[in-house]
Amino acid sequence: MAGRTPVSAVPPGPHSGAPAGPPPMPPVGPPVHLPAGPPTAPPLVPPPAAPIELPEEYTPTARDLPVIGAGRTDTLIDRPAADFLPATETAADQDAPEGMGPLFVVGDVHGYYDELCEALAAEGLIDADGHWAAGNARLWFLGDFTDRGPDGIGVIDLVMQLSAEAAAAGGYCKALMGNHELLLLGAKRFGDTPVQSGAGTASFQAAWLLNGGQKSDMDRLEDHHLQWMARLDAVMEEDGHLLVHSDTTAYLEYGDSIEAVNDTVHDVLTRSDADEVWDLFRKFTKRFAFRDEAGSQAVRELLNAYGGERVVHGHSPIPYLLGEVGTEDGEGDGIAVDGPHVYADGLAIAMDGGVTMAGKLLVVQLPLTG
């Protein structure tokens, strides 16, 4: 992605190459901060993987979102930056269930493995070797692990690894289902099978390619990845925060409780009917329900049905949500995202920092202050 600064000294993961045979668990880790002293030799950087032969119809840049170019450095949010500092440990502990640590959430990752490692390390959630380092802390990913970025399978492998390590340490690492998980599942299961969309006949394969599907991810996708994605929940509530992937009220069409929504989504994926899964994907791809004048009422509909005091979502990158974006080729002004966006009368928190648009991959402790 043009204009991005590479992450320094993050241990190499599988990145975008398609290795022969089953992929190993990716070695992960944050940037290495060296102590002051005599200069040391720079870390070795693995050579780039050999280019992958892609089909003619492969269009990873034909995204449904524009790309932010370098330019402005302000963050257009409706709260001061100071309001987005993590709550103190004492306040977080008061909200945490007995015996559990602070709560963190992660916005959309979209295959940006190195940026994820750096962001998790900055919050003390992983150590220099990429292993869980946060004890009984709680970590939730809001979905969209793959597509657009170079290493979606490496991201999934990391989340699965951290889930096991966090559980062993007395905490947990969990994930929600995003629309891109549904898209990848559909592309793998149904390929070019025609499905009925609102605009006529479509296919999961075509939609996946159009929305940044990476051939290297598909080549490395294994049964355990598919099973893991298919079992993800769509909605969860933690400490008064209603966690969802998409900023839509479409969840209400699948159940009147959190358990009912999750059961319905799992049932749809178990039946594996292409049209039914497509309809689920299409509805979970809707966005901006909380943005306009009626946004706070839309949030309240979800909170009244499922509980919680605030909705926390990913899906719509903050610069896109605000209507402040550059062109895909990087021309025009851009926006630097420094933290989550609180809106809809303070009832909604947007967590997609727009890493695919030269923004920032957000890892934030809840509750927010302010």
Side-chain angles (χ1 to χ4, degrees):
M1 184 161 52
R4 295 193 63 83
T5 302
V7 178
S8 62
V10 176
H15 305 290
S16 61
M25 183 68 70
V28 298
V32 177
H33 301 286
L34 300 176
T40 58
L44 295 177
V45 177
I52 297 171
E53 294 296 327
L54 300 176
E56 291 182 1
E57 70 273 15
Y58 178 64
T59 54
T61 59
R63 307 181 181 121
D64 62 353
L65 299 177
V67 175
I68 290 183
R72 290 163 44 187
T73 57
D74 56 317
T75 301
L76 299 184
I77 54 178
D78 57 8
R79 298 291 181 89
D83 285 351
F84 298 97
L85 295 175
T88 64
E89 183 176 353
T90 300
D93 288 346
Q94 290 175 349
D95 291 327
E98 184 177 356
M100 300 304 296
L103 173 66
F104 294 83
V105 291
V106 184
D108 297 33
V109 182
H110 281 300
Y112 284 88
Y113 173 92
D114 289 347
E115 287 81 352
L116 174 61
C117 290
E118 184 177 20
L120 293 173
E123 294 295 332
L125 294 166
I126 62 174
D127 62 21
D129 295 319
H131 295 292
W132 182 258
N136 64 350
R138 297 166 292 155
L139 178 62
W140 272 98
F141 285 81
L142 299 179
D144 278 9
F145 302 100
T146 66
D147 303 337
R148 299 197 177 102
D151 193 7
I153 298 303
V155 169
I156 291 176
D157 283 337
L158 174 61
V159 177
M160 294 174 70
Q161 169 204 319
L162 294 179
S163 296
E165 293 175 348
Y172 59 73
C173 170
K174 299 182 180 181
L176 293 179
M177 179 177 294
N179 60 305
H180 280 263
E181 281 68 67
L182 291 169
L183 184 58
L184 183 57
L185 283 166
K188 181 66 173 180
R189 287 185 183 182
F190 308 118
D192 289 323
T193 301
V195 294
Q196 294 302 314
S197 72
T201 303
S203 75
F204 274 103
Q205 178 74 7
W208 175 72
L209 290 170
L210 182 64
N211 288 282
Q214 303 293 304
K215 184 177 184 298
S216 58
D217 283 344
M218 188 62 77
D219 289 344
R220 295 159 55 206
L221 188 62
E222 298 188 8
D223 286 345
H224 68 277
H225 299 126
L226 295 168
Q227 293 168 8
W228 181 81
M229 287 190 291
R231 293 170 181 165
L232 295 176
D233 286 331
V235 186
M236 193 55 61
E237 189 271 336
E238 289 280 4
D239 299 354
H241 299 89
L242 185 65
L243 309 179
V244 295
H245 173 70
S246 303
D247 45 328
T248 179
T249 58
Y251 297 95
L252 295 168
E253 301 180 37
Y254 289 91
D256 57 5
S257 69
I258 290 175
E259 182 179 10
V261 173
N262 293 332
D263 286 347
T264 302
V265 170
H266 295 155
D267 289 345
V268 169
L269 292 173
T270 298
R271 285 192 294 271
S272 201
D273 176 82
D275 286 325
E276 192 176 20
V277 176
W278 177 266
D279 191 56
L280 178 64
F281 160 71
R282 182 180 61 83
K283 289 175 179 176
F284 281 14
T285 302
K286 294 180 179 180
R287 64 176 86 244
F288 299 154
F290 315 144
R291 186 176 67 172
D292 299 322
E293 290 183 4
S296 60
Q297 179 57 37
V299 176
R300 288 189 180 94
E301 290 179 21
L302 289 181
L303 297 177
N304 290 339
Y306 306 135
E309 300 173 0
R310 268 181 169 177
V311 167
V312 182
H313 70 84
H315 188 48
S316 293
I318 291 168
Y320 193 39
L321 182 67
L322 295 170
E324 295 285 342
V325 294
T327 61
E328 191 165 13
D329 60 8
E331 295 179 358
D333 293 336
I335 296 176
V337 175
D338 294 321
H341 173 55
V342 179
Y343 66 116
D345 295 338
L347 295 176
I349 302 174
M351 277 292 301
D352 184 349
V355 65
T356 66
M357 307 160 70
K360 183 178 182 180
L361 201 160
L362 296 178
V363 178
V364 173
Q365 182 178 337
L366 298 177
L368 302 178
T369 63

